[in-house]
Amino acid sequence: MSYNYIELITLILLVIGCFFILSGSLGLIKLPDVFSRIHAAGLIDTLGSGFIVLALIIYSGFSLLSLKLLLIPIFLIFTSPVTGHAIALFAHESGHKPKGKNKK
Amino acid sequence: MAKPNKDSLKTLSFITYFIILFVFWFILSGYLKTLLLFFGVISVLFVFWMSYRAKALEEDSFPLKIILRLPFYWIWLFKEIFKSGITTTALIWNGKYSPQLITVKASQKNRTGIANYANAITLTPGTVTIEVDKKIFLVHALSKKLSEDLQTDDMNKVITDLDK
């Protein structure tokens, strides 16, 4: 078994990214209402995709390809809050009330 | 340095925007032939003209002074996202969430700063900006700790300082 360092780092980062995506998907099912589920989706958007793209950049080495890969999280940073905000605003305006686990 | 007047600032922002667009074109294409570079310049000029028509190059929507500080801000933001991401993940797994609504005050002066702050709140997992009313945000937080982190006002200060 001969791993070199780059493959090992890539593997670790991929596992971390997959873990965040798994917890995001779990939260999407488990959390009680629309507003809380947006948090889980945001977890997938930022940390999940971020770690996986980071792993791919390290794996591919520094080239034009890695710069292109770097564009993916940059665009996600600009677009994902907009979608989250749009969903939250629409749910709020159409009368959804956020509910807690311990209801008041 | 002499005091920059309005026209020279405008020219500087045009040049910066042109360079950004061209670098973006080059990253996406990767061509180095003269003819294709020339086509690239033409397409960049076309996009430049469209953004100029759409008034996307005004001082308010394309603030020049931010650009140099942006990388440091992004590194800080990644750190913040990572911290609250771990908190949110722990909350999902152990189920001790208690969703709540809070209001947060923004102290940014222009519209770009306010949009920036609202986006930063939404980007950090566990807090979502629901409604923006002038300078008061309605924020949904997943737990008490996350909402208290937001109410310490650190993020607000960093983003206000970005525009000094």
Side-chain angles (χ1 to χ4, degrees), chain A residues 4 9 23 27 30 45 60 62 64 90 97 102:
Chain A
N4 56 14
I9 294 170
S23 6
K30 195 177 167 190
D45 272 350
S60 75
F62 187 79
L64 200 65
F90 191 70
K97 293 277 182 293
N102 33 359

Side-chain angles (χ1 to χ4, degrees), chain A:
Chain A
M1 294 274 276
S2 62
Y3 284 116
N4 56 14
Y5 284 116
I6 289 184
E7 277 181 3
L8 194 66
I9 294 170
T10 310
L11 192 69
I12 292 170
L13 287 177
L14 276 178
V15 167
I16 295 174
C18 288
F19 173 71
F20 277 123
I21 289 181
L22 177 68
S23 6
S25 324
L26 184 74
L28 211 57
I29 301 166
K30 195 177 167 190
L31 292 175
D33 63 343
V34 187
F35 299 101
S36 320
R37 284 175 182 176
I38 293 170
H39 301 311
L43 194 68
I44 299 176
D45 272 350
T46 52
L47 280 172
S49 63
F51 270 105
I52 284 182
V53 171
L54 189 67
L56 294 180
I57 286 173
I58 288 174
Y59 188 69
S60 75
F62 187 79
S63 64
L64 200 65
L65 186 71
S66 55
L67 281 178
K68 278 183 196 172
L69 280 170
L70 197 63
L71 285 176
I72 298 174
I74 289 180
F75 277 116
L76 270 182
I77 274 188
F78 286 119
T79 52
S80 89
V82 177
T83 52
H85 174 69
I87 295 169
L89 182 64
F90 191 70
H92 180 67
E93 300 227 315
S94 60
H96 277 269
K97 293 277 182 293
K99 55 185 166 191
K101 198 183 182 188
N102 33 359
K103 282 174 192 166
K104 278 173 193 169

Side-chain angles (χ1 to χ4, degrees), chain B residues 71-104:
Chain B
F72 302 103
Y73 164 66
W74 276 351
I75 290 170
W76 176 84
L77 188 65
F78 284 137
K79 205 185 71 200
E80 247 4 65
I81 288 173
F82 190 68
K83 268 197 303 195
S84 62
I86 287 177
T87 319
T88 313
T89 314
L91 282 174
I92 289 172
W93 284 98
N94 65 19
K96 282 178 187 159
Y97 44 84
S98 52
Q100 48 194 283
L101 286 175
I102 50 170
T103 52
V104 180

